Structure formats: structure tokens, C-alpha cells
Amino acid sequence: TGTVSLAGVFDDVDIATNGDSLSLEVTNISHAAIDTADMGGGTTLTVTPLLNQVDDGTVDVTATDNDGQTETVTINVSILEVNDPPVVVGSLTAVEVDEDASNTVIDLSGLFDDPDITTSSDSLTLSVPGVPSSLFDAVSVTGTSLTLDYAAEQNGVAAVTIQATDTGVPALSESYTLNVTVNAVNDQPYVAGPIPSITTDEDVDTSEDLSGVFDDVDIATNADDLTLTVTNVSHPAIDTATMAGDILNIVLLPNQLGEGTVEVTATDNGVPPLTESVTINVSVVEVDDGPFVVGSIAPIEVDEDAPNTVIDVSSLFDDVDIIPSGDVLTLDVSDTSNPTLFASASVVGTD
């Protein structure tokens, strides 16, 4: 609303001589931006513009004396532009997606408005001031489309601020906050390091550190944890294979050897739990075991000049390598305590 005093604009010679008086009123408005123009019964013109309208035009004010005589003036009225800020006129549904989702594209065309768009050919530029969170690789606006580009393996909540800026002078802005939730999705463990091969001697238990063999991206992002277990043993020489943390402990059967495998599985604590397995080759190498006495021979007593004595010694010795390694024993006479008693002492086969 604007006011202007019109005192002194009109006069009448009869005011001084005949006690005449003047009455002022608005008699015509030729202006697209004026809502009302009124003298209010005095000499002050009050002009009330229409909301958010600008224009040039005129207001006619007429002075009427007591005898009904009139005089009219035309007053030029300019209503100047004042930049109005953008306003939020719409709303957006909060975004909820799972971790590693594809990009979300949101239409922002009905979110903001500005009264100066109609009256002053104003226009709005939409933007996002900065990437708001590690949840995103990028957040961008092209025209009236907002694109949320999610970062891999990230989850949590974030507030994305969308800003509308007009082309007025000075430029004015308004903001809207969009809430985004990225739900955690359990990721499967994976093989991250080399899978060892284990070689040990027969009868020698062994251990192997498997730290670094498995990993899980959720360990860093979701405080995930991996539990290692032995899920299969396929080996003729292994008695037990167990995990103690990251350490694989192998206990061998006695006097056994060969090739085989141990399967170790990593299980995470996500929901649902997910697993990954590796197969470890295990070689148990032969170690030669010496023969040993398992039987006995009764003392021999004969008369002088007796015929030859033949003794079966087939069950006198044994060797644990006979069965697993195909070992063979060769028997011979290594010593006699009284050689004068014998013409000869020999072993043929096991006799």
C-alpha cells in the first residue's frame, strides 16, 4: 500500500470568499496492478496494489465543491517490481532403497513455485549444494530431475537438500529436504587371498594360518564378522581337522599317508547368514619306519650231529609301512654267537 498527499493540488476562489469547501474522490483507475485507490474522505490518496503485480497506469482524482462544480487531475502511478523468493508448493515421498540399488530419479517439477514467474518472467534453477553423504557417489539435478547415484556397499540415512534459486535481483532461494534411507543388504563372504596347500610328514600334526584367505565388504560397513569351520575332510591320513579362530589344526592318523583335501567354510553373521568355502590340498609324505619284532622263537635244543633244523620266522618281524607303502622285509642271518656249532646258518624266504 502507498499513500500520497494531494493537499495543495486543488483550490477554489470561493473557499476564501464564500466559505466553500472541496471534496476529493477517486473517479477512475486505469491500472492493471491496482486493487483499490481511495481518498478516505481527506486529501491523502491511498493505493493498494494487487498481490505480486507490477505495471504503470493512472488514477483520476476529482475535486467537487459545494455547488457541484468539479475539477479532475490524472495521477501517474508506477508499481515497481520487488523480487519475491521461491516457495515450496509440493512435497516428495521419502526415499527408501536397498544397498547397491540402481539410481533413483525423482521429478521435482511441482516442488517449487515463484509468483514472479508469471508477472516478471522469472525462472528457477534447481540444485543440490554438495553431495550430502557417503551414501552417494553423486547427487545431481538436470532440469527438474533429481538423480541419486548410490555408492557401492553403503547403507544408512541421509538428508538431501534441494535448492531453488530465482533469476531476480538479488537472487533469492528456498530449500526442501528429502529424507533418504538405504537399507543394509548382507553381502556374501569371498575369497580374498591365496589358498594355501599343506605338506607335512607322516605322523607330524600340522597347523595353517588362514587369516587373509576370506573377506567380507560388510566387515567395514556393518561390523560384520566371519566364523571359519571345517565342513569336509576327504583324506585317508587325517584323523581330525578343526578351526581355532583363523588357525586350521590337522591331527594325523598314525603311520598313514596320502593326498586329499580339507574344505573350510567362512560364515558371516548377517541376516540371513551367507557362506563361502575353499578346498585346501593336503599332502602327507611318507617317512620310512623301521621293522620291529612282533613274535618270538622258542630256544632250540638238539643232539650233536643232528640233521638241519628249519624254523619258520614269517611272524617274527613286522613293519608299519608294509600296508600303506608296500614295504617288503628281507631276512638274513646277521650274527651267530658260537659259529663253531654251525656248518651254515641262512634264511631262505621266511625259513
Side-chain angles (χ1 to χ4, degrees), residues 13-36:
V13 295
D14 294 330
I15 293 174
T17 58
N18 301 331
D20 212 352
S21 64
L22 299 179
S23 169
L24 277 59
E25 63 178 338
V26 173
T27 51
N28 185 59
I29 299 173
S30 180
H31 203 298
I34 291 179
D35 184 18
T36 63

Side-chain angles (χ1 to χ4, degrees), residues 208-214 226-228 243-249:
E208 185 74 23
D209 186 356
L210 301 186
S211 58
V213 172
F214 297 98
L226 298 181
T227 300
L228 306 188
M243 294 299 306
D246 292 329
I247 305 300
L248 170 63
N249 295 311

Side-chain angles (χ1 to χ4, degrees), residues 119-164:
T119 60
S120 306
S121 300
D122 216 353
S123 62
L124 299 180
T125 300
L126 306 184
S127 62
V128 174
V131 178
S133 167
S134 61
L135 291 182
F136 307 101
D137 279 337
V139 178
S140 60
V141 178
T142 302
T144 57
S145 292
L146 171 68
T147 300
L148 305 177
D149 183 358
Y150 303 103
E153 313 298 349
Q154 299 296 311
N155 58 80
V157 296
V160 177
T161 299
I162 306 159
Q163 183 171 282

Side-chain angles (χ1 to χ4, degrees), residues 200-224:
T200 186
D201 289 339
E202 173 190 333
D203 298 325
V204 178
D205 298 338
T206 187
S207 297
E208 185 74 23
D209 186 356
L210 301 186
S211 58
V213 172
F214 297 98
D215 202 355
D216 191 318
V217 294
D218 294 329
I219 292 174
T221 58
N222 300 336
D224 216 352

